[in-house]
Amino acid sequence: MYRTALRNVLAHKGRLLMTALAVMLGTAFVAGTLVFSDTMGQAVRDSYSKSYSDVSVLVSDKWSRSADNGPKAAGEKKREALTDATVKDLAALPGVERARGVVTGFTAVADKKGNLIGEAWSAQGSNFAPDASGQDSRYPMAQGRGPKAAGEIALNKQAADKAGYQVGDKVRVAGNGAAEDTTLTGVFTSDDPQVTSGGTLVLMDTATAQQRLLEAGHYSSIALTAKSGVAESALLDAAKAKLPGDVFDLETGQQLKDEQSKMVTRSVTGMKSMLLVFAGISLFVGIFIIVNTFTMLIAQRLKELALLRAVGASRRQVTNSVLVEALLIGVIASVSGLLLGIGIGAGMQSLLASVNDGMPTGSLVIAPATVIGTLVTGIVVTVLSALIPAIRASRIPPVAAMSSGDLPSTQRGLVVRNSIGTLLAGGGIALILLGAFSKGSGGRTYLELGAPVTLIGVFVLLPLLSRPVVALVGPLLGKVFGTPGKLARRNAVRNPRRTASTAAALTIGLTLVTAVTVIGNSVTSTVTRLVAGSMKADYTVSMANHDEVARELAPVIAKANGVTAASPVGNVMWTMAGDRKAVQGFDAAAFDQLVKVDMTSGSTGALKQGQILVNDEFAGKHQLHQGSTLKLEVDGGKTVDLTVGGVFERNDALSPVIASNTLIDQYDPDSFVTEILVKGKDGATPALKQAVKEATGSNPVIQVLTEKDKVDEFSRIITTMLNIMYGLLGMAVLVAVLGVINTLAMSVFERKREIGMLRAIGLDRRGIKRMVRIESVVISLFGAVIGVGLGCFLAWAAIRVLAADLNGLTTAVPYGSVALFLLLAALVGIIAALWPARRASRMDILSSIKTD
């Protein structure tokens, strides 16, 4: 039996090629993902291991290490500063060789055209702290010297080379305020991973760095270097005894390295998980191809298998022979997929390095887990996919060896399948509907449970759905394409299981693509409405890295030529009536010119009287109305009474509570300014934009955006995410195309006699080609229509759930995109049918008719 299995693999190697190719592509995706993520993770870890090479203990205040540097709560205590006195005290500790005060903060650099060098998120500034020799060991100078006074800077070599700067050139630098011109005194090298990965680093003398990035005389952190023979832990204990642990964070260099290693691992794991999900989708699509292939092979070898049963082969032997075939294919395809995956991993690393010159690289990491995982995944998927066809093969009765044709197929299997599918699909849809009409986090849970159950149920029901769906286009096919069209429709519904398995591959891909596209389009449409419904300002001034805008820019911008009104948008978190809510602040005098709100009671003029505005949702929750009093918690547990001056309709572009900046400054003078709104006397004109830009000192990081610019920026983010999704799903679509090709090719071979008879009674080669192509298009469109419909339904339910977090979110189906998906599915069917159709048309009439 095992020799028979080997003979069958060799005899049908052409027909099994597509199956092996599908498994190979899926396992290559898995292997490539593992190799790439392991290689990148190791390279980044190696790079970051140099970050704290000269740090034994790092002292930093808890506020600066916090991830929440956004809006602050009223009454938040001012942090205790690290000063020169702190540096001196720590330097005096036994075991300290050197104590160095470090100042860090956002600092951007413009090139000679005024454009930002690199990305805003990776632009940093720091202090140049020379030792007795006049050098800073962290930043060895490749050219010139370090900065010594205000107006001087040093720049990392990668950034200087990219912009073409030389020592002595004028360089424009900027933080979150007005930009200024400085003189480049030196170019340095650094092993800081943020710098080597393409970031920019500007060095200033310590006094200037403190003034620009922090406060005069203050440091962001203090780095301690231990004397030879002194353990980091011992130095840490000594520093903790000197400084209060509830105010400062103290960590050893090794702890910092371990934290970075964990951070890298988390980032790489997240990326790896996402890629493996799409690799799993490709393998899942491949399952349908494997099942189809072995089902058709068994149908073609009906007499052979029946004869084996007649001469004494047991059911178990027949099952094992089919599984051995699958095992051989799985081994060959998995080994090939592993080799291809290693190449894909190397290619992805090279591509990433070419896109980002500073991206850390290293030798390929091919872990034993990658090899074992890839091989086991490919082999197990192939063998399990062939299990059901193998069991069916074992049930072929010996009497079939004497039959002149195929055994009639039983409907019992389809009845059982349809019953199970109906239960699964019905239960899944019920869960989805329950989630869509539920409130709170429970709706999301129901949706997450119902979506996969519905998908499985629909896949099980695809044979049942194929007949009515294909029947809808039957009359059209007959009228447009004549006899080939009628034959194509009948061939498509002749074997519902086969049609369903072939179409399911496209259904999976288009369900996901359609759902993501509809959700993305709906969110974009809603954000467009929100921005348009809340903004009267002509421009918003904000940071490209979404950091805080310097509040001192607002009065400077207000004086710019053509500006009639300007207001910084302050943000704080206040606890009112026991409810912690975001509060936005505006200049009361300019509010009506810059912001659009729909008042249900009261008026916006209340802001000028020191009162607040609340949205209807917040008002309903706390039973507030115009004239109500709301208690605000401030320092020391005290409360202050605030008067509600009006209620407005909820708008997610605005916070639930609005106050004047004057009121906010009474309780929190350091509110977080996210943007500055600007209104011009002639509207949004290029002249006004240029005047506002010049008021910022032509800061390369500050954006001056119109309402349309903000919407376009958000749309670009959504488009980028969709393109990534499409690219990752491309592998699954490719596997689906292989499935259609494989099914059609084997179907053509299976119908040789039928095709020969058609040729004999007058259907020409062109008609045969057209018949096969139309059949392919019908099957592809069947899968696409089910996928698009299911994707739209899932997207609708998801949007209902998301609407709780984004007010006004409604389903907006991009009909153009949906039509394009269906057109592409038809194109897939045409392409997939090229080879099978050509093969069918070239069959010899006589040899086909006498085929046994």
Side-chain angles (χ1 to χ4, degrees):
M1 292 301 296
Y2 294 130
R3 287 198 298 271
T4 301
L6 178 60
R7 179 186 62 79
N8 285 330
V9 171
L10 296 176
H12 302 112
K13 52 183 177 293
R15 294 177 232 171
L16 294 170
L17 176 62
M18 296 297 178
T19 304
L21 196 55
V23 177
M24 183 186 74
L25 289 174
T27 53
F29 203 160
V30 172
T33 295
L34 295 175
V35 170
F36 172 67
S37 55
D38 289 345
T39 301
M40 190 179 73
Q42 187 60 51
V44 173
R45 275 190 290 270
D46 291 344
S47 176
Y48 273 88
S49 66
K50 304 172 185 177
S51 297
Y52 301 103
S53 56
D54 63 338
V55 177
S56 302
V57 174
L58 186 71
V59 181
S60 56
D61 61 84
K62 289 183 180 294
W63 186 88
S64 68
R65 292 298 305 278
S66 172
D68 182 16
N69 289 331
K72 302 187 287 295
E76 183 178 279
K77 293 181 179 179
K78 188 173 179 66
R79 66 187 188 279
E80 189 167 331
L82 295 170
T83 64
D84 287 322
T86 317
V87 175
K88 196 172 292 185
D89 289 343
L90 293 175
L93 290 174
V96 174
E97 180 177 323
R98 185 187 179 197
R100 182 180 69 245
V102 180
V103 182
T104 57
F106 170 72
T107 305
V109 187
D111 60 20
K112 294 181 179 180
K113 295 181 179 179
N115 299 320
L116 177 68
I117 301 175
E119 299 293 337
W121 59 265
S122 61
Q124 288 290 317
S126 187
N127 62 315
F128 181 74
D131 54 23
S133 66
Q135 300 296 320
D136 189 332
S137 58
R138 298 173 299 168
Y139 309 113
M141 290 293 159
Q143 302 171 29
R145 60 170 177 81
K148 295 180 179 179
E152 295 182 348
I153 66 161
L155 189 60
N156 64 295
K157 190 173 187 304
Q158 295 97 322
D161 290 344
K162 186 174 182 178
Y165 283 131
Q166 300 292 329
V167 172
D169 287 348
K170 290 294 182 181
V171 179
R172 174 152 292 210
V173 297
N176 62 348
E180 64 176 287
D181 288 327
T182 59
T183 301
L184 183 66
T185 63
V187 175
F188 63 89
T189 59
S190 173
D191 58 6
D192 186 331
Q194 186 162 313
V195 177
T196 57
S197 61
T200 58
L201 179 60
V202 177
L203 296 182
M204 297 161 271
D205 66 283
T206 298
T208 302
Q210 289 174 330
Q211 183 179 1
R212 284 186 62 91
L213 307 178
L214 205 57
E215 294 178 44
H218 290 187
Y219 295 98
S220 307
S221 60
I222 299 174
L224 305 180
T225 304
K227 291 180 180 178
S228 178
V230 177
E232 289 184 349
S233 57
L235 188 58
L236 177 67
D237 292 338
K240 282 183 175 179
K242 195 73 175 178
L243 298 174
D246 60 334
V247 178
F248 299 105
D249 275 325
L250 294 90
E251 295 179 279
T252 65
Q254 187 59 50
Q255 288 175 329
L256 293 167
K257 291 176 183 177
D258 292 342
E259 284 181 11
Q260 281 194 334
S261 180
K262 290 177 182 177
M263 178 194 69
V264 172
T265 300
R266 285 194 298 269
S267 300
V268 172
T269 300
M271 178 197 65
K272 181 192 294 185
S273 299
M274 182 189 70
L275 292 175
L276 286 177
V277 166
F278 287 94
I281 293 172
S282 297
L283 282 171
F284 186 59
V285 171
I287 289 174
F288 293 99
I289 299 177
I290 299 168
V291 172
N292 247 4
T293 301
F294 278 95
T295 299
M296 295 177 74
L297 283 175
I298 288 166
Q300 293 169 14
R301 287 157 43 196
L302 179 66
K303 289 188 177 181
E304 174 189 330
L305 294 171
L307 186 59
L308 288 174
R309 293 278 286 115
V311 297
S314 66
R315 287 188 172 184
R316 183 174 182 179
Q317 286 178 311
V318 172
T319 300
N320 289 343
S321 70
V322 176
L323 293 180
V324 167
E325 291 183 50
L327 178 63
L328 291 174
I329 294 170
V331 169
I332 295 170
S334 299
V335 171
S336 302
L338 175 62
L339 297 176
L340 179 60
I342 293 173
I344 290 174
M348 290 172 70
Q349 185 190 25
S350 299
L351 178 62
L352 194 62
S354 65
V355 173
N356 189 337
D357 295 335
M359 181 61 64
T361 58
S363 57
L364 280 181
V365 177
I366 306 173
T370 298
V371 176
I372 296 171
T374 301
L375 295 178
V376 170
T377 299
I379 293 170
V380 169
V381 166
T382 307
V383 173
L384 289 181
S385 301
L387 183 59
I388 293 178
I391 293 174
R392 287 178 184 163
S394 69
R395 292 177 178 175
I396 296 175
V399 72
M402 297 178 288
S403 174
S404 59
D406 294 341
L407 287 174
S409 60
T410 174
Q411 294 298 312
R412 181 175 176 274
L414 279 177
V415 171
V416 173
R417 176 172 179 159
N418 293 339
S419 300
I420 295 173
T422 301
L423 288 174
L424 288 173
I429 291 172
L431 284 172
I432 291 173
L433 292 175
L434 185 61
F437 291 99
S438 296
K439 295 182 179 179
S441 59
R444 187 168 300 176
T445 302
Y446 288 129
L447 180 60
E448 290 172 352
L449 290 173
V453 174
T454 303
L455 281 170
I456 295 171
V458 169
F459 292 153
V460 175
L461 283 175
L462 280 179
L464 178 65
L465 296 172
S466 64
R467 290 185 182 275
V469 173
V470 175
L472 290 176
V473 297
L476 179 63
L477 294 177
K479 291 180 180 179
V480 176
F481 301 105
T483 299
K486 294 178 182 178
L487 292 172
R489 182 191 66 80
R490 292 177 180 176
N491 288 334
V493 297
R494 175 186 297 182
N495 191 324
R497 285 193 182 97
R498 183 186 304 166
T499 298
S501 296
T502 307
L506 283 172
T507 299
I508 295 169
L510 280 178
T511 297
L512 297 173
V513 169
T514 303
V516 170
T517 302
V518 173
I519 292 173
N521 186 70
S522 300
V523 172
T524 300
S525 299
T526 302
V527 169
T528 301
R529 290 198 307 271
L530 287 176
V531 172
S534 64
M535 183 175 169
K536 289 183 181 178
D538 295 317
Y539 289 104
T540 60
V541 179
S542 60
M543 301 290 290
N545 62 345
H546 306 292
D547 203 347
E548 183 178 11
V549 180
R551 60 174 47 235
E552 57 266 22
L553 278 180
V556 178
I557 291 174
K559 296 176 183 177
N561 187 34
V563 175
T564 58
S567 170
V569 181
N571 289 261
V572 292
M573 295 296 294
W574 280 358
T575 301
M576 294 168 288
D579 196 359
R580 187 173 171 86
K581 283 292 180 181
V583 180
Q584 283 181 317
F586 300 88
D587 284 352
F591 183 80
D592 287 331
Q593 300 179 65
L594 300 170
V595 182
K596 186 190 302 182
V597 290
D598 296 321
M599 302 297 297
T600 59
S601 66
S603 71
T604 58
L607 294 175
K608 299 175 183 178
Q609 303 169 18
Q611 299 177 353
I612 61 172
L613 306 178
V614 298
N615 70 16
D616 49 6
E617 183 179 273
F618 185 80
K621 180 178 180 180
H622 296 283
Q623 298 180 344
L624 301 173
H625 52 80
Q626 183 186 0
S628 296
T629 299
L630 194 63
K631 293 189 179 298
L632 165 68
E633 297 178 19
V634 293
D635 284 329
K638 297 179 181 178
T639 59
V640 176
D641 289 336
L642 300 177
T643 302
V644 176
V647 179
F648 62 93
E649 291 183 8
R650 175 183 166 181
N651 185 328
D652 283 351
L654 299 171
S655 63
V657 181
I658 296 175
S660 68
N661 282 323
T662 303
L663 177 64
I664 289 178
D665 288 345
Q666 291 182 30
Y667 307 109
D668 192 347
D670 296 322
S671 61
F672 190 90
V673 176
T674 54
E675 59 187 5
I676 299 172
L677 302 181
V678 180
K679 185 74 174 178
K681 62 180 181 180
D682 297 320
T685 63
L688 177 62
K689 182 174 183 178
Q690 184 62 31
V692 173
K693 192 72 175 174
E694 289 176 355
T696 69
S698 298
N699 189 323
V701 194
I702 289 182
Q703 305 175 118
V704 182
L705 304 175
T706 62
E707 173 189 311
K708 183 178 183 303
D709 292 335
K710 294 180 71 172
V711 171
D712 289 345
E713 184 179 37
F714 183 82
S715 298
R716 281 193 296 270
I717 296 173
I718 296 295
T719 301
T720 300
M721 293 174 61
L722 288 177
N723 288 338
I724 292 173
M725 291 286 290
Y726 296 156
L728 292 173
L729 287 170
M731 183 70 76
V733 174
L734 178 58
V735 174
V737 173
L738 292 176
V740 178
I741 295 173
N742 198 31
T743 300
L744 289 175
M746 298 186 71
S747 178
V748 165
F749 180 83
E750 191 178 72
R751 305 199 309 254
K752 281 179 68 176
R753 180 183 296 170
E754 175 186 321
I755 293 172
M757 290 296 295
L758 290 172
R759 291 278 287 115
I761 61 176
L763 190 62
D764 59 11
R765 290 185 174 182
R766 186 177 180 182
I768 295 293
K769 284 184 179 180
R770 181 175 294 180
M771 177 187 72
V772 176
R773 289 171 184 164
I774 295 172
E775 179 184 352
S776 177
V777 170
V778 167
I779 293 174
S780 298
L781 283 177
F782 164 62
V785 168
I786 299 296
V788 166
L790 188 56
C792 288
F793 174 65
L794 293 177
W796 167 82
I799 289 167
R800 292 271 309 185
V801 173
L802 292 173
D805 299 319
L806 184 59
N807 190 39
L809 179 61
T810 55
T811 305
V813 179
Y815 294 103
S817 297
V818 170
L820 179 61
F821 295 155
L822 295 176
L823 182 63
L824 290 175
L827 184 61
V828 163
I830 293 173
I831 294 173
L834 290 177
W835 176 57
R838 180 182 176 86
R839 182 183 179 189
S841 67
R842 294 197 168 193
M843 285 183 179
D844 182 78
I845 298 176
L846 293 178
S847 61
S848 298
I849 292 175
K850 69 178 183 180
T851 296
D852 186 12

